[in-house]
Amino acid sequence: MTVKDDSFTNWKNREEIAESMIPMIGKLHRERDVTVLVHSRSLVNKSVVSILKTHRFARQIAGEELSVTETLPFLQALTTLDLGPSQIDIGMLAATYKADTRGLSVEEFTAEAVAGATGENKIERREPRDVVLYGFGRIGRLVARLLIEKTGSGNGLRLRAIVVRRGGDQDIVKRASLLRRDSIHGQFQGTITVDEAKSTIVANGNEIKVIYANDPSEVDYTAYGINDAILIDNTGKWRDRAGLSHHLRPGIAKVVLTAPGKGDVPNIVHGVNHDTIKPDDQVISCASCTTNAIVPPLKAMADEYGVLRGHVETVHSFTNDQNLLDNYHKADRRGRSAPLNMVITETGAASAVAKALPELKAPITGSSIRVPVPDVSIAILSLRLGRETTREEVLDYLRNVSLTSPLKRQIDFITAPDAVSSDFIGSRHASIVDAGATKVDGDNAILYLWYDNEFGYSCQVIRVVQHVSGVEYPTYPAPAV
């Protein structure tokens, strides 16, 4: 048999194993609210090839490829346990098992590693928490996709309604079509139907009421059977507590803003300061996409090396706030054609660092350039560190942070020498460290951080909503602190 045949046979064998994993992953998710991960990447509702690619990607992080033959025994062991709602990383189980020297079987090791999610320790499954989207633009539709994807067994979060201004004839049909098809993020994974008479969109069995209103004061959500809901404001029209509090209508318990909050509104970056949210906080902000991209790696660097000062330059994709062609705009440069120009503009991300990371006393400055791409941005973070180091040390540290730390859902790591912006469309991380572009000279470090400013940010929003709703399930094995 030739080498080519050997490679093909190996591929077919791995395909067969991945195929056998799909029903186990699906059953754990539907029946027990267990999300199976490989190095922080969900395997729920993934195809055979996607499962294999996710395993192969581990080489970018851990330095060697992870095989489905290694993770299958841990998945099989999980199906025999009395599991409660949780997230379980079979990639990390396989890695930590290799390093364990006690001679335990896979079944014994797995049971021990996930003990906090089994038997008397497991979390009880909760009733679904209602969620309302106020606004249905770029972020609103991506958040909707994520909420529908995460419905799982029907527990957790449940998208109940969308509030928009009526746009004209066939408004609901056009909005459903925008949810179904996206020029950047592709087709919706599932089925969507519209009931115009009931003003309802049904997406993968989720009935979503479309409520037409020009102002928050016009809506009584209890009239639609919505109670104790979390409302996600995607419009950015209101940024301060007084404005956002108008959403606290009958049926709404909390308001989450998908833009930087002003005044005393807490700016939350999940993974960094989400544990500062108080149970009685009714209005919070998820800050900006750029703040979410820079704060986790900034915290990681400050924790290990100390940061004396820094500057962030964001090269940002254009947004709906800019004009397609030159026209009047209240801002100085955003009126110039977005697809034809690089546009210097301001960013509030640097000043927002103080809100999300108050313990960092170092001054951080920032500026931004909008460029003619529709999605994915890069933040260039230049830091003066508290001690000298080397490029190799920084890269090893950040690789480990992305793999095993509490920030592993926020920080990703890539070593591909030919990576470009479009490679990161659909990334679920807040930012991705580009190892090849990283520069270190003594106590100066420059990090290049890619981020999907639409989808990655939307994932961060969902994590915050899961946290405040009480359905952010623990991850096993527990990340290293």
Side-chain angles (χ1 to χ4, degrees), residues 95-245:
T96 51
Y97 181 68
K98 276 185 181 179
D100 191 85
T101 59
R102 294 174 294 165
L104 299 177
S105 67
V106 166
E107 293 76 15
E108 290 169 335
F109 182 84
T110 302
E112 179 183 274
V114 303
T118 59
E120 295 180 355
N121 297 323
K122 68 182 182 183
I123 296 171
E124 291 302 318
R125 297 168 73 180
R126 298 176 174 88
E127 288 299 310
R129 182 74 179 267
D130 290 350
V131 178
V132 172
L133 297 180
Y134 198 98
F136 205 50
R138 296 298 302 154
I139 299 302
R141 291 194 296 274
L142 291 177
V143 168
R145 285 188 174 199
L146 286 164
L147 287 167
I148 294 162
E149 171 195 302
K150 293 179 180 297
T151 301
S153 62
N155 296 275
L157 303 174
R158 181 173 60 174
L159 177 57
R160 295 294 309 283
I162 297 160
V163 185
V164 292
R165 294 183 177 183
R166 187 181 293 276
D169 294 340
Q170 289 195 306
D171 180 275
I172 191 171
V173 173
K174 291 177 180 177
R175 293 187 189 278
S177 182
L178 286 168
L179 179 62
R180 184 182 291 114
R181 302 177 185 90
D182 190 285
S183 300
I184 296 170
H185 300 283
Q187 296 276 344
F188 174 80
Q189 296 301 304
T191 62
I192 294 176
T193 57
V194 175
D195 188 330
E196 288 189 81
K198 293 183 178 179
S199 191
T200 301
I201 297 172
V202 181
N204 290 358
N206 294 265
E207 291 191 8
I208 307 162
K209 186 73 174 179
V210 179
I211 302 170
Y212 293 105
N214 294 314
D215 188 82
S217 63
E218 298 177 9
V219 189
D220 178 348
Y221 294 94
T222 59
Y224 302 95
I226 297 170
N227 293 284
D228 194 36
I230 298 171
L231 182 144
I232 305 174
D233 184 328
N234 305 291
T235 68
K237 183 177 180 180
W238 304 276
R239 299 282 187 93
D240 59 12
R241 185 175 299 277
L244 292 167
S245 293

Side-chain angles (χ1 to χ4, degrees), residues 11-70:
W11 170 260
K12 299 304 288 184
N13 287 340
R14 287 187 289 139
E15 271 191 324
E16 185 177 358
I17 292 170
E19 225 168 55
S20 72
M21 297 171 84
I22 291 174
M24 288 184 271
I25 293 165
K27 191 172 182 180
L28 285 168
H29 188 58
R30 286 191 309 275
E31 296 183 2
R32 306 189 198 179
D33 276 354
V34 173
T35 300
V36 177
L37 313 169
V38 167
H39 291 314
S40 300
R41 288 167 166 75
S42 172
L43 297 184
V44 175
N45 293 328
K46 294 297 188 292
S47 67
V48 167
V49 172
S50 291
I51 290 173
L52 292 174
K53 285 182 70 175
T54 302
H55 279 72
R56 180 166 170 74
F57 188 81
R59 78 191 192 283
Q60 298 280 10
I61 304 173
E64 58 182 15
E65 187 169 339
L66 181 67
S67 172
V68 287
T69 59
E70 296 176 78

